[in-house]
Amino acid sequence: DEFVFRGPVIGPLNKKDYINTLSALAPYKAFPDINPNAFGWTVDPQNPFKVWFFVRTTGTHTEPWRLVSFAPPFEATNKKVALATESYSVTLSPEGKVKLLTVGYVADRFEGNANGYGAALGLLAGIGYGPLALVADAAGAVREANNYANDIGVDVPRTRSKGSEIPAWYKSQHPRGV
């Protein structure tokens, strides 16, 4: 499959790792009313196969949230979370299949109640674990933890697929992004 997921901290992920990571993190279970509130759809003027849009995700943390299987869950806080507005894009193949999904690029870090974060780090910050989000974001800690997990074979949600498992089209266009 030619699908690649990419964010500023997470990725690139191939389709298998993306599905496994999203299933493992399962924010939709911990925040059952999660809503991306997408708006501002526009076709890229330089690439007719790419659509840009914004999300301003909201949700309420009403169920426990387990980020990794070997750690205790974050118990429900009942906090309403409002993430900063993020820029997303979807790039389609000529056959109409999603080839690239980019997420999490914060457009205005002063919005919401998630300390300027988007995506999973924003959800963590919004429920009161801002320092954990800061540590995860700092100095590539997320990437280094994932590299270590890849090396020793621990089954944790991936933050990056192995370079050998990324579609060739992506590696050829983004040689420093793998």
Side-chain angles (χ1 to χ4, degrees), residues 3-177:
F3 175 84
V4 175
F5 170 90
R6 184 72 215 209
V9 176
I10 306 300
L13 290 174
N14 61 32
K15 184 177 181 178
K16 177 183 145 229
D17 288 340
Y18 171 71
I19 290 170
N20 289 343
T21 296
L22 191 59
S23 296
L25 294 178
Y28 48 86
K29 290 181 180 176
F31 300 81
D33 64 344
I34 197 165
N35 186 336
N37 302 300
F39 65 97
W41 303 82
T42 187
V43 175
D44 188 310
Q46 296 179 356
N47 181 349
F49 293 104
K50 181 180 265 189
V51 175
W52 291 95
F53 59 101
F54 296 98
V55 300
R56 192 177 288 138
T57 302
T58 57
T60 310
H61 182 216
T62 60
E63 300 295 330
W65 190 22
R66 183 181 304 274
L67 297 180
V68 290
S69 60
F70 54 83
F74 296 100
E75 293 302 326
T77 62
N78 293 308
K79 290 185 178 180
K80 293 184 184 297
V81 177
L83 304 186
T85 298
E86 302 169 61
S87 175
Y88 280 41
S89 75
V90 173
T91 304
L92 302 174
S93 70
E95 298 77 36
K97 292 185 176 184
V98 176
K99 187 174 177 179
L100 177 64
L101 171 62
T102 66
V103 308
Y105 295 92
V106 172
D108 185 349
R109 65 186 178 100
F110 299 105
E111 292 180 329
N113 63 357
N115 298 346
Y117 286 105
L121 296 181
L123 293 173
L124 275 173
I127 63 172
Y129 293 93
L132 182 59
L134 180 62
V135 168
D137 188 29
V142 169
R143 187 173 333 213
E144 291 307 314
N146 188 72
N147 288 340
Y148 180 69
N150 275 342
D151 289 345
I152 64 171
V154 173
D155 187 24
V156 297
R158 298 278 180 225
T159 59
R160 176 191 229 174
S161 294
K162 293 179 181 178
S164 62
E165 298 174 354
I166 298 295
W169 76 264
Y170 184 85
K171 289 190 281 190
S172 70
Q173 292 182 13
H174 306 279
R176 295 186 325 149

